Amino acid sequence: MIFKYLTKLKVNQNLLLNPGMAKTCKKCVETCGVGKLEPSVLKELNEAFEKLSTSDSKSLLKKYLTADVFKSIVNKKTSFGSTLLDCIQSGVANLDSSVGLYAPDTEAYNVFAELFNPVIEEYHLNFTKDDSQPPVNFGNTNCMADLDPKGTFIVSTRVRCGRSLAKYPLNPCMTEEHYIKLEEEVKCALGNLTGELGGDYLPLKGMSKITQKKLIDDHFLFAEGDRFLQAAKASRFWPTGRGIFLNDAKTFVVWVNEEDHMRIISLQKGGDLGQVYKRFVKGVEELGSQLTFARDERLGYLTFCPTNIGTGIRASVHIKVPKLAADESVLHAVAKKYNLQVRGTGGEHTSAQDGVYDISNKRRLGLSEYDVVREMQDGIMEIIKEEKSKSD
Ligand code: ADP
Ligand code: DAR
């Protein structure tokens, strides 16, 4: 295994020094991948496929890694040295995954397209291999509404996106030095934010457990120990290179090196999506003017998980809809009708506390930034209308 790691490291170092090499490799990578697979990796892959294909997993990985697809891509490698095992290891270790697939580097989406494309098509509600992400368009930032002016239903509103820095590989290919350098580069860009966006960066390394717990409980900071990310090799060298930026008002937050290189987040109490969205766009554009994000001409912004590519945007409300929630299956059915996703109060893989649900847009790809957030806005307004129409 050491050999595999060192090979990967060597290839990565070359690519980081000569990004142009990645482009020449890309042709080769797209057609056949690069490099021969170590026998130990091939053995692990065959065992992984056997475990997955004989399991009762309901993941998109299980559904689309058919025997034919497996045979077609099992020997492929990206020019970073990533293999199919790097893509599927989390979904094999966690058979209860909903997706089970991650991109160990940005080439994986092309090299293993026979697996990624059908997963992407289903998750993002019919984005086929012949579709392309529209150009970036945040629309008129005064265009979103206050979804709950009387404060009857919505506790808080949040809009976030995932971003990867173009010159760095993704988690499984990153060295400790990558995490440290990336954190430094993002900290520098964050330090240039002024006015409403100005604030402080708090590294996770050295943060007291009390401060960390408070920030998590207040829904600002990411939780630790996500078993899906651990199995996907996204938590190595933890907490080195990880941290959180908060503006003075705690309404603009940036996560560094959690699941993605960056999560850029605008949030506040109440239902005023207009204010949240306007601040979100300002923050993304100011950071985007200083940093180069990884963007594919067909798939849009590239992230570690295929559920976050395209716009990378998840716009959510923490909302209390006790009548709809009296039967969660009804709530989920209504949400599905409006392309919404229901999570628990603590976010993904949590349950609702005190009847507070996290409801957001499901798809992030195949629509412009404006349309993704409008889909959430329109869906939440319908959810509130359905809640109001339910008799006591
Ligand atoms: P992400 O949204 O970044 O994909 P999660 O679903 O894990 O990841 O949510 C991350 C954190 O953001 C959690 O603490 C969750 O409670 C919080 N959160 C999500 N939506 C909202 C919201 N509308 N208001 C307040 N906190 C929110
Ligand atoms: N937990 C993994 C990923 C699902 C999407 N959420 C992300 N990327 N945070 C699963 O397959 O369930």
Side-chain angles (χ1 to χ4, degrees), residues 239-253:
T240 298
R242 278 76 176 194
I244 179 172
F245 171 88
L246 296 118
N247 71 336
D248 298 338
K250 292 189 176 171
T251 55
F252 182 71
V253 171

Side-chain angles (χ1 to χ4, degrees), residues 59 90-91 96-102 123 160 226 228-229 259 263 305-308 343 348-349:
S59 68
S90 181
D96 60 336
S97 294
S98 56
V99 177
L101 184 65
Y102 292 94
Y123 181 85
R160 67 79 165 156
D226 182 308
F228 303 94
L229 293 177
E259 172 175 335
R263 289 289 174 90
C305 178
T307 62
N308 286 312
R343 298 184 182 188
E348 191 174 37
H349 308 128

Side-chain angles (χ1 to χ4, degrees), residues 39 41-51 53 70 74:
V41 175
L42 196 54
K43 179 173 180 292
E44 270 189 81
L45 269 166
N46 285 314
E47 288 166 357
F49 181 71
E50 175 66 19
K51 175 184 174 187
S53 52
F70 181 73
V74 65

Side-chain angles (χ1 to χ4, degrees), residues 155-160 215-216 218-223 255 258-259 263 265 267-269 308 314-318 343-350 358-359 364:
V155 176
S156 51
T157 301
R158 176 180 185 265
V159 178
R160 67 79 165 156
L215 286 169
I216 293 171
D218 289 347
H219 306 295
F220 294 121
L221 179 62
F222 46 82
W255 295 352
E258 185 238 4
E259 172 175 335
R263 289 289 174 90
I265 304 161
L267 73 169
Q268 68 188 51
K269 295 297 183 192
N308 286 312
R314 186 169 93 86
S316 61
V317 290
H318 272 184
R343 298 184 182 188
T345 318
E348 191 174 37
H349 308 128
T350 68
D358 164 340
I359 305 183
R364 318 200 201 295

Side-chain angles (χ1 to χ4, degrees), residues 11 32 79 211 252 281 328:
V11 170
C32 63
S79 55
T211 301
F252 182 71
V281 173
E328 280 202 353

Side-chain angles (χ1 to χ4, degrees), residues 189-209:
L190 292 166
N192 293 327
L193 297 178
T194 58
E196 177 197 15
L197 299 183
D200 297 306
Y201 179 76
L202 305 175
L204 207 56
K205 200 169 193 175
M207 184 185 285
S208 74
K209 287 300 175 194

Side-chain angles (χ1 to χ4, degrees), residues 312-385:
I313 290 177
R314 186 169 93 86
S316 61
V317 290
H318 272 184
I319 189 168
K320 285 194 169 189
V321 279
K323 294 174 192 166
L324 280 178
D327 175 350
E328 280 202 353
S329 62
V330 170
L331 177 61
H332 283 278
V334 171
K336 187 163 188 271
K337 180 179 167 188
Y338 300 111
N339 293 338
L340 300 175
Q341 185 179 50
V342 179
R343 298 184 182 188
T345 318
E348 191 174 37
H349 308 128
T350 68
S351 52
Q353 305 299 320
D354 305 326
V356 175
Y357 289 87
D358 164 340
I359 305 183
S360 63
N361 59 291
K362 178 173 173 49
R363 61 179 172 165
R364 318 200 201 295
L365 173 70
L367 297 175
S368 72
E369 285 71 13
Y370 170 83
D371 289 334
V372 160
V373 180
R374 268 312 297 262
E375 186 162 68
M376 173 271 202
Q377 172 170 294
D378 298 346
I380 296 301
M381 288 174 126
E382 284 298 322
I383 286 262
I384 290 174
K385 195 172 153 192

